[in-house]
Amino acid sequence: MNQSSAALADETLTWTREPAQEPLASNDEALRSIRDLIKAGKRQELVDLLKRWDPVDVMQLLTRLRLKQARKLFKWLPANPSIKVIAELRPEFRSILMEESTLEQFRDILAGVDPEDAVEILNEFPDDVAEELIARLPDVEDIGSRGTYADDTAGRVMARKFVALREDCTAGEAVSQMRAEADRIRKIFTVYVTDADGKLTGTVEVGKLLLAPKDAPLRDFMNRDVIAVSADMDQEEVLRLARKRDMRTVPVISPDGHLVGRITPKQLTRIASDEANEDMLLMSGVSAEARSDDTVFRIVRGRLPWLLAGLVGASVAATVVGSYEDQLAEAAILAAFIPVTMSMAGNAGLQASAVAVQGIATGALWSGDIFFRLFKELIAALFNGAIAGTILGGLVLGASMFIPLEEPVRLAIATSLSLLCVTTLAAMVGATIPIILDKIGIDPAMAIGVFITSSNDVLGVLIFFLMATTFYLG
């Protein structure tokens, strides 16, 4: 028996949980041994070992293996461990591992479980992979109902496993039902209470249920102030509501009030991660569907529109500069301040828009609070612009002592005032545009990046030359 097999036999081959993006040297020996076992084709030894590992550790192992080895190991895993590992993988890793043969493997797995469990499993996959699997299943009537809800809605991500009891059910009966459901539902935080027609009427926290008299009906001590969301509500709105009301789980109801699912803590965390990743991509001028393993065509299709939008903005800014050709010929020193003005405009706009987007995403920016927030942004922008303008004016006057400048005082005044106006206007544009986009149903994160940068570049250059013409060349 080689060293790797001996390690397995002794059950000494272990994995230390790694912090995000920080591989541990202590795992290198386990990594080498597992690579040797994969090369040797020792499937059963590896499966026996990895069954004892936490799915998160298996996921980390897969991401540190070479892609070819990771695919082979993933195919070797039996259904239960592999499904749990898939749940822990980030979308980009899941899409890399999902080959045609693996899709066939999971089709067989899904065909052998009840529809409710199949839907729960499908919720762990990227949408494109889930739809592909649904299309391959022999009977998709129940499972296909997942597709009746639009992407990024509560109905699409909700869990369909929950404990719902009628109002006349006693606390003792409820506890017995929870115990019976323990294997099907791993974590139960809330018991939902319905009327005779199945409509949600209240909730009972598990702790309160355990302390209640066994013969007390649920209607006597349930919480009637129920906060539920419709199945077609956007998942970002669900997240805002959960944060605002400090909700651990969120019930999902149909249009007629029937309980159809719940958003679990794990799903709320995933929604927050998905929305943060989407906003980050949009702010970078990249399509929200972009993945690290995209083909060249998908990369071009996702990025080119944003680059072309930036090109349009830059062209407009260049046109503005070109229209002041005579002023530049008269005072070439003005050209030195164009990058300063454009940079300050872009930075001020991005700062204000980032704060606005964060306030909208977290629900901290209320409709009645908008004008007060904008007023604060205006005052802050005026202070920032005045300070930055004063510093720039001082630098101009200081440089004039060593570099011959024509009319340095007037140049300092022109540049200072232009920086004050540019910073203030850019901040107001950056704070306002995300709010407007949110009101008309467009993701406010789109305001950050190409849109704000391009618009503020144009405004910055225009204001700079207006100030220079008035106070320096006039």
Side-chain angles (χ1 to χ4, degrees):
M1 181 181 295
N2 61 31
Q3 183 178 356
S4 299
S5 299
L8 286 172
D10 296 336
E11 299 185 10
T12 58
L13 196 58
T14 59
W15 189 269
T16 302
R17 184 71 52 83
E18 296 178 340
Q21 307 298 325
E22 294 183 18
L24 298 178
S26 57
N27 289 329
D28 290 346
E29 182 179 352
L31 195 62
R32 285 193 296 269
S33 298
I34 289 173
R35 283 174 176 166
D36 292 340
L37 288 169
I38 294 173
K39 290 179 181 178
K42 296 186 177 296
R43 173 176 180 172
Q44 193 57 50
E45 288 95 330
L46 266 176
V47 169
D48 292 341
L49 167 71
L50 298 182
K51 279 182 178 179
R52 297 189 294 269
W53 283 25
D54 187 279
V56 177
D57 296 337
V58 179
M59 178 271 292
Q60 290 186 347
L61 168 66
L62 284 169
T63 59
R64 289 195 61 186
L65 289 170
R66 297 186 182 93
L67 181 57
K68 183 178 179 180
Q69 293 177 328
R71 282 174 170 162
K72 177 180 276 191
L73 177 57
F74 185 75
K75 290 176 185 177
W76 285 356
L77 293 176
N80 188 39
S82 59
I83 289 173
K84 291 180 179 179
V85 172
I86 275 287
E88 299 296 338
L89 285 173
R90 296 197 299 274
E92 56 266 34
F93 285 121
R94 292 204 297 262
S95 59
I96 289 172
L97 290 174
M98 300 306 291
E99 289 184 311
E100 178 68 21
S101 58
T102 314
L103 288 173
E104 293 296 325
Q105 175 187 354
F106 273 95
R107 182 202 62 183
D108 296 338
I109 294 171
L110 292 171
V113 301
D114 64 77
E116 188 172 352
D117 288 333
V119 170
E120 294 296 319
I121 294 170
L122 285 169
N123 282 336
E124 306 292 351
F125 290 91
D127 287 338
D128 55 345
V129 177
E131 296 304 327
E132 178 67 24
L133 285 171
I134 290 175
R136 292 166 182 254
L137 292 171
D139 182 9
V140 300
E141 181 177 354
D142 293 327
I143 298 175
S145 63
R146 175 185 183 273
T148 61
Y149 301 108
D151 290 341
D152 298 332
T153 60
R156 195 63 175 264
V157 300
M158 69 183 179
R160 291 162 175 80
K161 294 180 180 180
F162 51 84
V163 177
L165 303 170
R166 291 177 51 169
E167 296 176 344
D168 55 357
C169 178
T170 65
E173 293 171 338
V175 172
S176 298
Q177 184 65 28
M178 285 173 50
R179 289 171 178 165
E181 298 281 2
D183 292 336
R184 189 174 71 93
I185 307 175
R186 286 175 293 178
K187 294 181 181 180
I188 303 175
F189 303 102
T190 304
V191 172
Y192 298 105
V193 186
T194 63
D195 59 15
D197 296 327
K199 295 183 178 180
L200 182 65
T201 58
T203 60
V204 178
E205 297 298 322
V206 171
K208 188 174 183 179
L209 180 64
L210 295 174
L211 296 175
K214 291 184 178 181
D215 57 349
L218 297 181
R219 68 165 66 92
D220 289 351
F221 58 93
M222 70 179 186
N223 173 29
R224 297 181 181 274
D225 184 19
V226 184
I227 301 173
V229 300
S230 62
D232 59 355
M233 177 180 282
D234 187 271
Q235 64 178 20
E236 190 171 6
E237 293 295 328
V238 175
L239 182 63
R240 291 180 194 173
L241 178 64
R243 286 172 169 172
K244 184 177 179 180
R245 295 301 188 95
D246 195 23
M247 301 172 68
R248 182 176 293 182
T249 60
V250 182
V252 182
I253 57 175
S254 63
D256 56 3
H258 286 85
L259 184 66
V260 294
R262 64 185 177 123
I263 309 295
T264 65
K266 182 177 180 180
Q267 288 159 336
L268 287 173
T269 301
R270 180 169 298 163
I271 292 171
S273 176
D274 290 345
E275 293 297 330
N277 290 335
E278 180 180 328
D279 288 349
M280 181 183 66
L281 290 172
L282 288 174
M283 288 186 290
S284 302
V286 180
S287 170
E289 287 77 32
R291 295 288 180 266
S292 61
D293 62 317
D294 281 345
T295 62
V296 173
F297 175 74
R298 284 179 60 88
I299 292 173
V300 173
R301 187 180 65 182
R303 300 182 189 180
L304 185 59
W306 299 90
L307 293 174
L308 294 179
L311 176 62
V312 171
S315 299
V316 174
T319 302
V320 173
V321 174
S323 66
Y324 287 93
E325 181 180 0
D326 294 339
Q327 287 81 357
L328 285 172
E330 183 180 348
I333 187 63
L334 294 178
F337 294 95
I338 294 176
V340 177
T341 303
M342 295 176 69
S343 176
M344 288 296 293
N347 289 336
L350 288 175
Q351 288 176 343
S353 57
V355 173
V357 169
Q358 190 226 21
I360 293 170
T362 60
L365 187 61
W366 299 353
S367 297
D369 195 34
I370 290 176
F371 290 106
F372 177 67
R373 292 290 184 94
L374 291 178
F375 177 73
K376 289 200 301 183
E377 285 288 346
L378 174 60
I379 299 302
L382 285 170
F383 271 106
N384 288 337
I387 294 171
T390 301
I391 293 174
L392 180 59
L395 291 175
V396 170
L397 293 176
S400 67
M401 300 173 63
F402 306 97
I403 303 173
L405 295 176
E406 185 177 350
E407 299 287 350
V409 175
R410 294 177 64 181
L411 180 60
I413 293 174
T415 55
S416 297
L417 289 177
S418 65
L419 213 56
L420 169 63
C421 295
V422 164
T423 302
T424 303
L425 184 59
M428 295 308 298
V429 170
T432 305
I433 294 300
I435 297 173
I436 295 175
L437 293 180
D438 184 60
K439 293 298 181 183
I440 62 178
I442 300 176
D443 193 329
M446 292 182 66
I448 302 180
V450 175
F451 184 84
I452 290 292
T453 302
S454 298
S455 61
N456 283 339
D457 282 350
V458 174
L459 290 173
V461 170
L462 181 60
I463 291 172
F464 170 71
F465 277 107
L466 287 174
M467 290 293 175
T469 302
T470 303
F471 294 97
Y472 185 57
L473 300 176

